[in-house]
Amino acid sequence: MKKLITALMTLTLTASLFALDGREIIQKALDVKDPAFTQSAVQMDLIEKNGAKETRMVREYGRSKNDLKAVVMVFMSPASVKDTRFLLQENKGSTPDDKFIYLPDLRSTRRVSTAEGSKSFMGTDASYDDLSTRDIDVDTHELLKEENKNGYNCYAVKSTAKNPADSQYGYRIQWIDKETWVPVYAELYDKKGALLKVLTVEKLEKVTGATGAEYNIPMVNNMKNVQTGHQTRITIQKIILDKAIPDRVFTQVFLNTGK
C-alpha cells in the first residue's frame, strides 16, 4: 500500500511539474515562428445582419524582423476605398504600436492615435487595437479548461487587462490549438461582461515558404459582432511566404506614393 501511495504521489507531482498555466500557454502562442515575409491577396467581405455583403480586395504585405512585425494593407477595390493604404509597425514591450493610414481623398497620411484604438478599422468588425498583439504582461492569463473546439483540441485561456483602462474589452477568452499553438477561436467581452465579438478561424492550413519552412496559416477568419449581427470574413486567396520584400514598402513614403 505504501508503494502504491508513493507511486501515485510521484505521478501527481510529475503531472504538476509539466502542467502549463495560462501565461505559459499564451507565451507559447506568441512564440510560434512567423514567416520573415508574407505577400497575400485577400478578400474582405463585410456582411450585414440582413445578409447584404460588400466585398473588398486587399493586397497585404508582412515582415517579421528582430521579433517585431510590420504590416501594410493596400485596398484595391471597390472604388470607395481604392488606394487607401495602412501601415502597422510593432513596438517592443507595452509601447503602443505605430499605425498610419493614407486617405486618397485627402492625399495625405496621418497617424492613428491611441485614443482611436477602439474605433472600427475601415468599417470592419475589428478595431484598430484588434490589429495589434498585446504585450503578454499587460494582462493576467487564467487557464479555464481544456476542450475540443471546432475540431481542435484546445486550451481555453481567459485574459484580463491589469489596468481596465488599458483595454476596450472587459476580458478575452482564446481557444489555442495544442498541436499548432494557433488561437483558433476567441470570445471578446465588453466592460459589462456581455459577449461582444466572436473570432473564428474557419480554415487553418499548413503552407510551405520559399525557404522550405512550413507555417500554419489561418486562411479564412470570421469576426462577428454578436450585439449588432454584423460580421467580417477575411479569406486569403493567394499567399507567398519568405520571399523578400524591400524595406521601403514598410514606410510612410510607400503609403504616400504606393511605390
Side-chain angles (χ1 to χ4, degrees):
M1 179 61 70
K2 287 183 179 179
K3 290 182 178 179
L4 177 60
I5 292 173
T6 300
L8 289 173
M9 290 178 66
T10 301
L11 286 172
T12 301
L13 178 60
T14 302
S16 66
L17 288 174
F18 287 94
L20 295 171
D21 62 26
R23 188 187 186 283
E24 290 170 328
I25 293 166
I26 295 297
Q27 187 62 63
K28 282 184 172 290
L30 293 173
D31 288 343
V32 170
K33 182 175 175 57
D34 294 310
F37 301 96
T38 63
Q39 302 178 53
S40 51
V42 176
Q43 178 175 320
M44 177 186 292
D45 294 318
L46 307 185
I47 307 169
E48 301 289 345
K49 184 177 182 179
N50 63 8
K53 181 172 69 175
E54 176 187 308
T55 296
R56 297 173 174 179
M57 300 307 299
V58 182
R59 187 185 302 146
E60 185 172 315
Y61 304 96
R63 180 186 67 187
S64 181
K65 183 178 181 180
N66 300 324
D67 292 326
L68 294 174
K69 300 175 186 175
V71 176
V72 168
M73 299 181 191
V74 180
F75 287 78
M76 310 300 292
S77 67
S80 59
V81 295
K82 181 177 171 57
D83 293 330
T84 301
R85 295 185 280 271
F86 175 76
L87 166 66
L88 181 148
Q89 295 173 317
E90 185 180 16
N91 291 314
K92 290 185 177 179
S94 58
T95 303
D97 295 341
D98 293 319
K99 304 180 184 78
F100 303 90
I101 190 164
Y102 172 80
L103 301 173
D105 288 347
L106 301 178
R107 295 185 180 181
S108 65
T109 295
R110 71 171 184 86
R111 177 186 288 272
V112 178
S113 70
T114 55
E116 298 176 271
S118 62
K119 291 185 177 180
S120 167
F121 169 67
M122 294 291 293
T124 70
D125 293 282
S127 68
Y128 281 102
D129 281 350
D130 288 335
L131 304 179
S132 298
T133 300
R134 287 174 64 84
D135 181 74
I136 190 169
D137 289 320
V138 300
D139 298 323
T140 60
H141 307 282
E142 176 190 358
L143 174 59
L144 298 180
K145 55 188 172 181
E146 301 176 33
E147 68 173 358
N148 186 283
K149 196 71 170 179
N150 298 340
Y152 297 95
N153 189 19
C154 296
Y155 293 108
V157 179
K158 178 181 178 180
S159 299
T160 307
K162 294 178 180 178
N163 176 7
D166 186 46
S167 175
Q168 63 184 294
Y169 303 111
Y171 59 92
R172 297 167 290 127
I173 303 176
Q174 296 183 84
W175 278 258
I176 298 171
D177 176 38
K178 292 181 180 181
E179 181 179 350
T180 62
W181 298 104
V182 174
V184 293
Y185 186 83
E187 294 178 347
L188 311 175
Y189 291 78
D190 65 21
K191 293 295 184 74
K192 295 181 180 180
L195 180 60
L196 176 59
K197 301 176 187 177
V198 172
L199 175 63
T200 305
V201 174
E202 297 183 353
K203 182 180 181 182
L204 184 65
E205 186 175 303
K206 192 178 293 292
V207 180
T208 302
T211 62
E214 293 184 330
Y215 305 90
N216 294 292
I217 304 295
M219 299 295 286
V220 183
N221 297 289
N222 188 75
M223 176 174 274
K224 182 175 182 179
N225 186 316
V226 299
Q227 296 184 9
T228 66
H230 191 276
Q231 56 188 310
T232 304
R233 177 171 284 108
I234 303 294
T235 303
I236 297 177
Q237 296 186 333
K238 182 179 180 180
I239 189 166
I240 300 172
L241 305 178
D242 289 335
K243 183 178 179 180
I245 302 171
D247 285 343
R248 62 177 172 75
V249 171
F250 304 97
T251 66
Q252 291 182 60
V253 173
F254 180 82
L255 286 196
N256 285 324
T257 64
K259 57 185 178 180

